[in-house]
């Protein structure tokens, strides 16, 4: 009996692109997801309740809940950077030239 061979596709480096989002939308989603993860890690590291985090970040507790539940579509990059700033984090933006893609 012959085993089925799995087809392996190399990642583009952006999970959202790999899921079929267009290049622009995938990049925006990636940036927002990274910002959201940073906020989540900070809140956990500081042991903040959702209510306390909401007060510090100047948002409602349900908004913090949405963030922690990964509701990425509800947050803009600007709002996430503002929340990080209120948590005392300086956000720096780095630009990189696209990597050349070689097919192996």
């Amino acid at each position: 009996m012959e085993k089925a061979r799995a087809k392996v596709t190399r990642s583009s480096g952006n999970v959202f692109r790999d899921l079929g989002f267009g290049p622009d939308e995938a990049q925006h989603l990636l940036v927002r997801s990274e910002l959201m993860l940073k906020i989540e890690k900070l809140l956990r590291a500081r042991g903040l309740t959702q209510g306390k985090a909401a007060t510090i970040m100047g948002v409602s507790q349900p908004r913090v809940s949405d963030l922690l539940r990964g509701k990425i579509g509800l947050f803009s990059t600007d709002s996430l950077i503002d929340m990080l700033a209120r948590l005392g984090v300086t956000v720096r933006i780095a630009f990189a030239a696209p990597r050349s893609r070689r097919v192996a």
Side-chain angles (χ1 to χ4, degrees), residues 1-2 9 17 19-20 23 30 62 69 75 79 83 86 92-93:
M1 190 148 120
E2 193 174 314
T9 303
R17 184 75 177 126
L19 289 171
L30 183 63
R69 295 171 84 201
F75 297 91
S79 67
M83 288 180 213
R86 290 173 184 256
R92 296 177 196 251
I93 299 171

Side-chain angles (χ1 to χ4, degrees), residues 39-64:
I39 293 169
E40 179 181 0
K41 287 178 182 179
L42 282 170
L43 299 183
R44 291 193 197 292
R46 294 180 185 179
L48 296 173
T49 64
Q50 288 185 14
K52 183 66 176 168
T55 300
I56 294 168
M57 294 189 297
V59 298
S60 68
Q61 179 276 321
R63 189 94 168 122
V64 175

